[in-house]
Amino acid sequence: MTLLLDGDIRMFLSLFLVFGLGIIGGYIFEKIKLPKLVFYIILGILLGPSIFDVIDDTLINISSYLRQIALIIILTRSGLSLDVSTLKKIGRPAFLMCFLPACIEIIGITIFAPLFLEIDYFEALLVGSVLAAVSPAIVVPRMIKLMDEGYGNEHKVPDLILAGASCDDIFVIVLFYSFKHMVSTSSFNAWMIAEIPLSIIGGIFLGIISGFFLVLVFKYLKMNDIINVLFVLSLSFGMIALESFLKPYFLVSSLLAIIIMAMVLKKYKEEDAIKIKQSYNSLWSGFEILLFVLVGIATDINYAISKEGAIIFGLIVIALIFRSIGVLISILATNYNFKEKLFIVISYLPKATVQASIGAIALSEGLTCGTIVLTAAVISILFTAPLGAILMDNSYKKLLIHKEE
């Protein structure tokens, strides 16, 4: 069913429905203890071509750029939140939690996806890289709440989860773009393996340079907070453009560079970094609605509820089992007791933010597995986000040690 309206009216109506209904519905979902982003996806499905089809094509056409901006905001917030000293204090388990659960989950999907979905191993790696990230949108606010209430602080359980979840996203996003290149070129060689560490090294180098450049700018140019935020955003856009320009000659991960830049800024200009993070949090409030609604709009609901959708759901369940094994391996031979280990496993279940940011990219670039990748991302959000949130909210008092005990 398509709503026929003048172009301008349809565009403004689209924005009204996305933000107006998104804010109200998100508030209601939070009141009933469900993640608001689940409502945003449902809203997108309802407003999109699958059902009412009231969203203007212009908004859909620029959705890839909007998702890219949302990803920049996510990564900058991660860099400004990441505390390297905490990783050092916790040691080995924090380091392993940054990548091992994601790697084992990707291995599980790479084994089973070709059997169930009739895709090749490159495409299975791409699906795995989309599904493997834990959700900061679900996990971070809850870990901060636990620290404030004094739960799990004795063994630094919230700190472990916070640090691991932030690095986990970075690691998975770098892998996603590498696997996407393999799928799009339909080729694989030793050089493509070498490209991953080279792009990481290039991203770290670019991020350090950009970070110190920001430090100098903030030191000598006394700008107001809004201008500082705009400058950081513009520098992020510039690094993404630079990656595209350098691609034929030199490999650089601009997304990793954005995170490193934020980490350098936090270390050397902490006061400015805190203010920028607060502004980015406000920016995210709007982009979060837009991002998840756009993912819902792009979803083919008929495919999602088909036999293939049911198979993808089963694959996600298998992936969570592999992920949980990865978490348990990461925290072997530590001071955590059984209940704390169970809570850490639960905290690594929810998926949302990264899946919404990169889930539709394969489809927008015309890859044959694009529909499968996007459907897997949406089903994983709708299933694991409320599951993880509900389990964390209802178990932390029973599973974690309180500071007064």
Side-chain angles (χ1 to χ4, degrees), residues 88-352:
K88 291 179 179 178
K89 286 178 184 177
I90 300 172
R92 174 184 58 84
F95 174 71
L96 292 177
M97 289 284 282
C98 293
F99 68 92
L100 189 59
C103 283
I104 293 181
E105 183 172 5
I106 291 172
I107 290 171
I109 293 171
T110 305
I111 292 171
F112 288 98
L115 300 176
F116 297 152
L117 296 173
E118 297 181 358
I119 58 177
D120 62 39
Y121 286 104
F122 291 163
E123 293 170 331
L125 284 169
L126 188 65
V127 174
S129 64
V130 170
L131 293 179
V134 70
S135 170
I138 305 296
V139 172
V140 171
R142 285 170 171 79
M143 294 308 109
I144 293 173
K145 177 186 175 184
L146 296 190
M147 286 190 281
D148 292 341
E149 293 183 6
Y151 283 93
N153 288 340
E154 182 178 342
H155 293 155
K156 297 189 179 298
V157 174
D159 300 81
L160 169 74
I161 297 167
L162 268 178
S166 299
C167 294
D168 171 275
D169 292 346
I170 300 164
F171 175 72
V172 167
I173 289 168
V174 172
L175 287 183
F176 167 79
Y177 280 95
S178 300
F179 295 150
K180 180 174 70 70
H181 178 60
M182 292 181 187
V183 174
S184 61
T185 57
S186 300
S187 62
F188 176 77
N189 53 50
W191 172 245
M192 297 185 78
I193 291 291
E195 284 181 344
I196 297 177
L198 286 174
S199 67
I200 291 173
I201 293 169
I204 292 172
F205 183 71
L206 178 60
I208 291 172
I209 293 174
S210 302
F212 281 110
F213 175 66
L214 269 184
V215 170
L216 290 174
V217 168
F218 288 171
K219 182 178 180 180
Y220 293 107
L221 300 181
K222 302 300 180 182
M223 302 179 290
N224 64 49
D225 296 339
I226 299 299
I227 298 299
N228 284 344
V229 171
L230 291 174
F231 191 80
V232 174
L233 266 176
S234 68
L235 193 55
S236 300
F237 296 151
M239 285 192 285
I240 289 176
L242 181 63
E243 178 184 5
S244 298
F245 176 76
L246 293 176
K247 198 169 186 178
Y249 319 103
F250 188 76
L251 296 169
V252 175
S253 172
S254 59
L255 298 177
L256 181 59
I258 290 168
I259 296 164
I260 300 297
M261 175 187 72
M263 292 172 64
V264 171
L265 182 63
K266 180 187 178 185
K267 182 173 178 61
Y268 293 99
K269 295 289 288 183
E270 187 170 2
E271 187 176 338
D272 288 320
I274 291 171
K275 292 177 181 177
I276 289 171
K277 182 183 173 184
Q278 291 170 345
S279 298
Y280 265 73
N281 289 342
S282 300
L283 273 175
W284 175 244
S285 297
F287 269 92
E288 181 181 32
I289 299 173
L290 200 55
L291 176 63
F292 285 95
V293 171
L294 286 172
V295 168
I297 290 170
T299 302
D300 184 347
I301 190 62
N302 294 321
Y303 184 86
I305 62 176
S306 66
K307 177 184 175 182
E308 287 78 9
I311 292 173
I312 289 172
F313 176 81
L315 181 65
I316 291 168
V317 173
I318 293 171
L320 292 178
I321 295 171
F322 273 80
R323 183 176 193 80
S324 300
I325 292 170
V327 172
L328 291 173
I329 293 172
S330 300
I331 54 178
L332 279 175
T334 59
N335 294 328
Y336 303 118
N337 59 41
F338 173 78
K339 290 183 178 180
E340 289 170 331
K341 289 179 179 178
L342 178 58
F343 183 80
I344 294 170
V345 169
I346 290 171
S347 299
Y348 255 52
L349 294 179
K351 306 169 185 296

Side-chain angles (χ1 to χ4, degrees), residues 27-98:
Y27 176 81
I28 294 171
F29 263 53
E30 284 196 321
K31 285 297 181 183
I32 59 176
K33 305 297 183 183
L34 287 174
K36 55 189 176 182
L37 51 86
V38 173
F39 173 79
Y40 300 153
I41 290 181
I42 295 171
L43 177 63
I45 293 171
L46 291 173
L47 298 179
S50 295
I51 301 182
F52 293 116
D53 194 17
V54 294
I55 298 299
D56 188 71
D57 289 340
T58 304
L59 186 60
I60 296 174
N61 292 338
I62 64 170
S63 61
S64 61
Y65 300 107
L66 295 173
R67 282 194 295 271
Q68 187 83 337
I69 296 172
L71 187 57
I72 289 170
I73 294 171
I74 292 166
L75 295 176
T76 307
R77 291 171 71 220
S78 296
L80 294 171
S81 303
L82 194 58
D83 191 346
V84 178
S85 62
T86 301
L87 284 170
K88 291 179 179 178
K89 286 178 184 177
I90 300 172
R92 174 184 58 84
F95 174 71
L96 292 177
M97 289 284 282
C98 293

